[in-house]
Every structure is written in structure tokens, then in C-alpha cells.
Amino acid sequence: MSETSGTTFGGRRAIPPNNSNAAENDPPTVELQGPVPRGVNLQGRYPQENKGTYIPVPVVSELQSGKWGAKVVMRERTSVRLSIQSSPECIVGKFRMYVAVWTPYGVIRTSRNPETDTYILFNPWCEEDAVYLDDAKEREEYVLNDIGVIFYGDVSDIKSRSWSYGQFEDGILDACLYVMDRAKMDLSGRGNPIKVSRVGSAMVNARDDEGVLVGSWDNVYAYGVPPSAWTGSVDILLEYHSSENPVRYGQCWVFAGVFNTFLRCLGIPARVVTNYFSAHDNNANLQTDIFLEEDGNVNSKLTKDSIWNYHCWNEAWMTRPDLPVGFGGWQVVDSTPQENSDGMYRCGPASVQALKHGHICFQFDAPFVFAEVNSDVVYITAKKDGTHVVETVDATHIGQLIVTKQVGGDGIKDITDTYKFQEGQEEERLALETALMYGAKKPLNTEDVTKLKSDVDMDFEVENAVLGKDFKLTITFRNQSPTRYTISAYLSGNITFYTGVSHVEFKNETFKVTLEPLSVKKEEVLIRAGEYMGQLLEQASLHFFVTARVNETKVVLAKQKSTVLTIPKVIIKVRGAKVVGSDMVVTVEFTNPLKQTLRNVWIYLEGPGVIKPKRKLFREIPPNSTVQWEEASRPWVSGRRKLIASMTSDSLRHVYGELDLQIQRRPAE
């Protein structure tokens, strides 16, 4: 490793900043011993032993655990073979290797030779390493697996898509080291996974540091790639490294996918996690405040908090010597730019175990993450006289389900219980009280509200909705008392970003319901395709909000639900021998199911170890027409592989397809 030499320094003892792995500044081939002129600091211009950037490796008779050393394993005439052991605390990055001979007159070194450059990574197989993971199957999944599954959609309609992490593809390791160089991260801190993951969470987004990805949530993606079109991290990281400019565009699952590549590439076990109904609590008060007008409609000016249909972040595995015992293991790190942390858009690492028990006083950013999974949803009526009345509290809506990909398969693993105790348990209340004691603000007194029990219940269901088709929404009112009630109800249907922010209201309806004693009444509302098709956004997500006021008691009932429209898939086929080094042909096919022509259609294709990322433009696809695209491929990695494709166009996005492959080894000749 070396340090930068392109800066001017004042003072005769000043030394260069130690923050670039790429900078070249080689030690001389001959270093004479003896006096040097006053004020000359030879050591300062070279890598330094006390910074961990200059490492003399002694030749020893026996290697010692935890220490650098080289042992002779074979001698042959004028050559020797050495087995070299690195220290588990070594900084991570690219080292330039030299052989040095000490003589009575000084040190003689070999010349710089790029062929002997050596990369040192974190080592989850090493018990003394800060990222040691003792389960072999988990190491296989969370470090070595270069293909993953990211879950999205809605808690009642979970969707999944494969993602190519590609951490072993050409150029990716250098791109990840470049990310740390761009952050001007001090080299001496690069052996600490806490610091590396925190720097990574800031640098994967470009919000304030010219990092990897520009976020965009406004459905306008001029001069860039729509977030839904990416099939993996490889293109993004390589483009960032080669252009030295942020890549456009990303949303939470793209940030999480790229961050996962960064972490796994450097040897830190990592996984992508999805939280369904994730609270974005602007003031970390553990409440998501939804303000209503007196007629039951949402007041968008007062409602600042938002509920994301889902949000993706990462977990990284490491020890936490900076925290009390027991808070190591999985740590939340999030590179989606949501809130400022110590002057930068970054989040974590925050101990999952500490979050579960409400110990949000421990760094980093625990209060914000705790709120994402534990907030209460509080419905407040903003009266015309300026007063606010708390109507109802939903303590179970936020963080309903937290999932990740299962180890060794593409299925779903529910990890909700690692973040929170079950609702209503004594431990759950205790965790919440602990969080409040440690400084989470909770200004509104909502305790009494939750105890109010209405005689009338209201719920609604949205039937499975297919893109371009009509569907029904059914509202059910249940009167559990011997009293007759009349109800004024309001339904609002909105096209929303998956972040919960409304784009446009496409449906609103008010209706009156009379509820006889001890009765159930259902109201059906037809949602026509023509009402929503012209306004659709990135993820074809529709959000429905129903409020109902019981006129006799003035009690307000409120429920909200989202539905993700079922979208057609891209079809992938393969012909030819599925053997390393043999030619095969990949065919990608897509049929337009809509009644309108799709324009500016891009199809993306990639598969780590099988085919490099590729893309193709189709100017237009008429209704019910099919396009095909063929690409030749020659796999270079054997075993279980996957091809991943996506389609994006001006009016339809988030269309995916994938194909599992078993690539055979090349037969021995």
C-alpha cells in the first residue's frame, strides 16, 4: 500500500495524508544506512509501519497465531518457497510486494512488479478476524454467493427478483477499493469493518460525496437508467470506477444490492433485508403521524412522516468491541439517503440485537432504525379551529414483516423476531420503554386512545389485480352492538411511489352505510383499468385509504392498504451445451400485454459467470406483439448459475425474468 504524493505540505515534518490505496510511491531499490540531511524525512514519503501501510514480514521458523510471518517450506538451489501468514488485524486493500535483503550498507529491494501485487481482504474463515462467521453454510451464502434475491412488493403480495452481486467479476474489487479512496478514507482505518461499512453506507449514495449512485424517486430518469432496469451491481460499479462520476439512477433495492456487493467483495458477510411497511419517521418520535381533514381525507400538508410499502437495507456481520458484550453479530447498514447522520447521508452500523431490546443509545443511528420497524401509526384529525384530536392508534402496522433470502435457496426467511418481540409480549413493552428512556421522543399521549373499543369495525380487501384489467375492492363493516348506526365513509385511491408518497389520486368516492344491530355489511367498489393505467409509476403500486365516521358516536375508523399489480414476465431460454468454455445461445423474449404501444423499450441481460451484462433497445412494441433477442455466451464458471433479465419502457417498468442453469465443468481432455 502507498499514500498519495500529489499534495503540497507545509512544515519539514509534515507527511502526506494516508487515504489512497491507488497512489504509487515506491520505496527505493537501494536504501543506504547512515546520517541524512537535517529536516529530510525519508520515512514520511513512504508507506509507514506505524500506519499499517508498510509491513516487514519476518522469516521465522514457526508461524505465530495472529502475527505476520513467513516460513520456508521448500529450498531449491538459489530459490526458496515461503508460506506467508497475514495478521487478522491487517488493513484491507491492495499491497505492493517486495523482497528486501538487509546488508551491512543498507537495504536492497526488488523493483516494483505489478505481477506480485497482493490483495488482503477481511477473512470470515479466520477465528481472530472481526468478521469471523462460524457457520460454513452461512459463509457460503453471505460471502461467496454472487447471486441473490431481493424481496419487494407488498406484505400481502410479496414479489421477488434476482440480483447479480458479481463480487468476483473482473474489476469489481478494484472498483470497491476506489470507493474507499473517493471517500478519502484513511488507510489505517481500513482493517476495521465498523469504519469500512459506515464509509460504504455514505459512499454508495451520491447525495453529498459524489458517491456511486444518484437516487431518484420522481419517475423522471432522463440521462440515466431507471432503477428498475438494473439487473445487478457489476455495470454500476464498473461505470463509477471508469467514469469517476456518480451513476444514474438508484432506489432502495439498488443501493442495497450495490452495497451488498461492496461488503461481500471485501470479505464482510452481508445480506439484503426487506422491511414491509417501513416508517420514515422525520423526527424519530416513534410515531408516524397521519393528519386527517374533518371529512376523513388525508391532509398532505401536515402529514410529513411517510410509510414505505417496503424498504431494503443491508445487514453486515461483525464484532462490536465498541459496544457492550452481546451486541456483535448482524448490524444494520443502510446506504439509501434518507436522513443526515453526523453531517452525511449514511446509516449504521446499528446492532440488531440492541435494536430488539430497545438499547438505542448505542451508535450508530439506532433511533432511526428502531422507528423504521417499531413506530405506531397515529391518526389525528386537524380541526378547522386549529386543534388536533388523536382519533386512533395502530400499533401493529409498521414493520409487519422483515425478510431476507434463505441460506442455500431462493426462498424467503422471516427474520422479524430478530428485530422485535411479538406484539403484546411483556418484553416488547419493555423494549419500547427502554427506547423511550434512552431519548426517543414521544410527545403525544396516545395511551388512552388505544384502549377505546368501538362497537363498529371496518376493514377492506383488494382482490388480486392484473395490470390493464378491472378489479374490485370490498369494504366490510361489522356492528357488534344492539344499536343501529349510520356511517359516512370515504375511499381514496392513489398512484403512489413505493415510499408511500402519493403521485396522483385516481379514485375518490363517498358513500353512506346503515348498519343494523349485530350485522355485517359489505360495500363493493369497482376499480376500472382506465382510471389508473395512464398514471402508473415505476412499480405499478396502488394505495387505498378508507376512513369512516360513525355519525352517532363520532368515532373515526381508518385503514390503508397497498396492492401491487401483477405484471408480465420476460422469458429467457437457452440452447446449446451448458458447459464451461462451450458456446450456447441465450434468447430473451417479451410480449406486450397492453392495449397500447410500448416505446423506447430497453431489455437488460446478465448472469455472473455465464454472460457479461448486456442491453438492447427496441424502439417500439405494438400491443400483443412479441420481440426476441439472441446473444451468444460462453460460460466460465461451473455449478448453479442464473440468467437475469429486465425490461423497461416509457410506460411499463419493473418487468423481470430469470432462468436457473446448471453449468457443467469442462470434460478432462
Side-chain angles (χ1 to χ4, degrees):
M1 281 197 170
S2 177
E3 46 218 280
T4 185
S5 57
T7 316
T8 304
F9 305 96
R12 66 189 184 190
R13 287 194 168 80
I15 59 172
N18 221 20
N19 59 20
S20 174
N21 195 173
E24 294 273 354
N25 197 346
D26 301 316
T29 53
V30 177
E31 201 173 309
L32 298 177
Q33 289 182 342
V36 294
R38 184 169 174 268
V40 173
N41 183 0
L42 287 174
Q43 175 68 5
R45 284 289 170 186
Y46 305 130
Q48 298 166 51
E49 198 169 338
N50 66 343
K51 296 277 192 182
T53 56
Y54 176 84
I55 303 169
V57 182
V59 179
V60 294
S61 55
E62 286 302 326
L63 297 172
Q64 280 186 280
S65 177
K67 290 189 175 178
W68 278 97
K71 182 180 177 182
V72 177
V73 292
M74 193 184 82
R75 296 175 192 268
E76 193 175 290
R77 293 182 186 170
T78 57
S79 67
V80 292
R81 180 176 293 174
L82 300 171
S83 172
I84 297 176
Q85 175 181 280
S86 60
S87 160
E89 287 157 13
C90 176
I91 61 181
V92 164
K94 182 179 180 179
F95 286 79
R96 300 145 189 53
M97 191 176 285
Y98 304 87
V99 176
V101 179
W102 271 257
T103 74
Y105 307 104
V107 179
I108 300 172
R109 272 188 202 86
T110 51
S111 300
R112 170 88 174 90
N113 179 7
E115 295 294 312
T116 61
D117 286 353
T118 302
Y119 293 90
I120 304 254
L121 307 177
F122 291 105
N123 185 357
W125 282 261
C126 170
E127 288 187 28
E128 290 123 340
D129 200 294
V131 300
Y132 173 64
L133 185 58
D134 62 349
D135 187 302
K137 286 184 176 165
E138 290 190 353
R139 288 196 300 262
E140 184 82 25
E141 180 67 57
Y142 299 134
V143 184
L144 298 179
N145 196 352
D146 55 359
I147 306 167
V149 175
I150 297 176
F151 298 96
Y152 66 106
D154 185 80
V155 72
S156 60
D157 184 16
I158 293 170
K159 311 274 189 194
S160 69
R161 56 166 302 178
S162 292
W163 188 268
S164 165
Y165 297 126
Q167 66 266 38
F168 304 117
E169 299 297 296
D170 284 347
I172 293 300
L173 179 51
D174 283 328
C176 292
L177 298 182
Y178 172 72
V179 168
M180 291 192 284
D181 283 358
R182 273 298 285 271
K184 294 187 168 57
M185 182 183 184
D186 197 275
L187 291 175
S188 60
R190 297 190 191 187
N192 182 340
I194 301 169
K195 292 181 179 178
V196 169
S197 61
R198 186 150 173 82
V199 165
S201 83
M203 281 303 296
V204 169
N205 73 73
R207 187 70 176 264
D208 46 21
D209 49 17
E210 291 293 290
V212 179
L213 268 167
V214 178
S216 178
W217 283 267
D218 61 6
N219 212 43
V220 177
Y221 307 117
Y223 313 111
V225 174
S228 60
W230 299 112
T231 48
S233 310
V234 175
D235 264 0
I236 295 169
L237 284 165
L238 293 182
E239 183 182 327
Y240 179 66
H241 191 194
S242 62
S243 72
E244 301 187 356
N245 283 306
V247 178
R248 300 167 188 270
Y249 291 99
Q251 289 178 5
C252 73
W253 72 94
V254 187
F255 289 112
V258 172
F259 197 10
N260 220 50
T261 300
F262 173 86
L263 293 165
R264 286 188 187 180
C265 186
L266 296 177
I268 302 174
R271 59 190 187 185
V272 174
V273 168
T274 303
N275 176 34
Y276 286 97
F277 293 127
S278 190
H280 185 164
D281 182 5
N282 276 308
N283 57 359
N285 67 348
L286 299 193
Q287 287 181 188
T288 301
D289 301 323
I290 309 290
F291 287 91
L292 308 174
E293 307 279 9
E294 287 191 38
D295 64 0
N297 198 359
V298 176
N299 183 319
S300 55
K301 284 184 182 170
L302 290 176
T303 303
K304 300 298 182 196
D305 294 340
S306 60
I307 303 169
W308 296 32
N309 292 357
Y310 67 91
H311 178 47
C312 298
W313 59 67
N314 303 76
E315 287 180 0
W317 180 273
M318 65 190 73
T319 58
R320 288 297 300 268
D322 57 324
L323 302 185
V325 173
F327 292 150
W330 290 117
Q331 311 290 315
V332 172
V333 280
D334 189 349
S335 57
T336 299
Q338 294 185 94
E339 291 294 327
N340 202 291
S341 169
D342 297 334
M344 297 184 79
Y345 281 90
R346 56 187 169 185
C347 182
S351 164
V352 174
Q353 185 72 353
L355 292 168
K356 179 171 183 173
H357 291 274
H359 291 272
I360 60 170
C361 53
F362 298 123
Q363 55 191 14
F364 296 89
D365 308 309
F368 181 76
V369 182
F370 188 88
E372 286 184 297
V373 300
N374 282 298
S375 288
D376 289 346
V377 182
V378 182
Y379 294 95
I380 304 163
T381 297
K383 300 277 191 182
K384 286 177 179 151
D385 63 6
T387 58
H388 291 171
V389 178
V390 176
E391 298 286 1
T392 182
V393 177
D394 189 341
T396 62
H397 187 70
I398 299 299
Q400 280 187 32
L401 181 66
I402 305 168
V403 300
T404 189
K405 174 188 173 299
Q406 66 183 195
V407 172
D410 286 350
I412 196 165
K413 178 181 171 69
D414 182 348
I415 57 169
T416 313
D417 64 351
T418 66
Y419 280 83
K420 54 208 286 193
F421 293 100
Q422 281 188 342
E423 199 73 39
Q425 282 186 339
E426 181 60 33
E427 295 95 332
E428 186 256 346
R429 278 290 110 192
L430 192 59
L432 187 62
E433 285 166 18
T434 305
L436 295 170
M437 179 182 75
Y438 281 130
K441 302 183 292 294
K442 198 162 189 178
L444 277 172
N445 180 11
T446 60
E447 293 302 312
D448 297 333
V449 179
T450 56
K451 295 179 185 134
L452 286 175
K453 183 79 177 135
S454 172
D455 289 340
V456 179
D457 282 340
M458 183 267 294
D459 201 356
F460 70 93
E461 292 298 325
V462 185
E463 75 175 3
N464 186 30
V466 177
L467 184 80
K469 301 276 197 291
D470 299 349
F471 62 92
K472 279 194 303 232
L473 184 147
T474 306
I475 307 165
T476 304
F477 297 94
R478 190 174 273 103
N479 184 358
Q480 297 169 332
S481 79
T483 309
R484 184 172 180 268
Y485 288 116
T486 58
I487 291 167
S488 301
Y490 176 88
L491 163 74
S492 172
N494 293 268
I495 308 282
T496 58
F497 298 96
Y498 79 97
T499 56
V501 176
S502 178
H503 170 58
V504 65
E505 186 179 59
F506 69 89
K507 182 93 173 174
N508 65 65
E509 210 162 292
T510 54
F511 46 92
K512 306 269 189 229
V513 178
T514 301
L515 266 182
E516 298 300 332
L518 301 170
S519 69
V520 175
K521 192 156 190 181
K522 292 182 185 290
E523 289 284 329
E524 283 191 351
V525 179
L526 181 66
I527 311 295
R528 298 186 185 281
E531 292 175 315
Y532 65 79
M533 277 304 294
Q535 309 276 358
L536 277 183
L537 290 170
E538 183 76 0
Q539 302 202 21
S541 178
L542 307 180
H543 182 263
F544 295 97
F545 192 91
V546 178
T547 51
R549 173 173 267 103
V550 182
N551 294 322
E552 288 76 9
T553 63
K554 306 299 182 204
V555 168
V556 172
L557 309 168
K559 272 274 161 61
Q560 52 183 316
K561 288 185 182 175
S562 294
T563 187
V564 180
L565 298 169
T566 301
I567 292 177
K569 292 192 176 305
V570 178
I571 308 296
I572 308 174
K573 300 171 185 170
V574 167
R575 65 177 190 272
K578 301 178 189 71
V579 178
V580 168
S582 294
D583 288 335
M584 67 182 199
V585 176
V586 180
T587 305
V588 183
E589 191 177 283
F590 176 71
T591 302
N592 177 10
L594 303 184
K595 294 172 183 171
Q596 65 192 76
T597 296
L598 296 178
R599 292 189 166 79
N600 296 318
V601 180
W602 281 97
I603 297 181
Y604 293 72
L605 171 69
E606 77 173 287
V610 179
I611 192 168
K612 300 279 186 194
K614 297 184 183 296
R615 61 183 85 172
K616 186 173 177 66
L617 172 66
F618 296 88
R619 284 287 168 208
E620 57 179 47
I621 307 177
N624 300 313
S625 295
T626 300
V627 291
Q628 275 194 342
W629 166 34
E630 289 192 345
E631 279 288 342
S633 156
R634 187 175 290 173
W636 62 94
V637 175
S638 63
R640 195 164 158 259
R641 299 281 90 196
K642 189 174 280 191
L643 292 169
I644 307 164
S646 74
M647 190 285 297
T648 186
S649 69
D650 288 350
S651 52
L652 179 61
R653 300 190 182 118
H654 257 278
V655 180
Y656 304 115
E658 56 189 62
L659 180 67
D660 289 310
L661 295 173
Q662 190 68 36
I663 304 294
Q664 305 300 322
R665 285 198 177 97
R666 193 194 309 227
E669 294 177 0

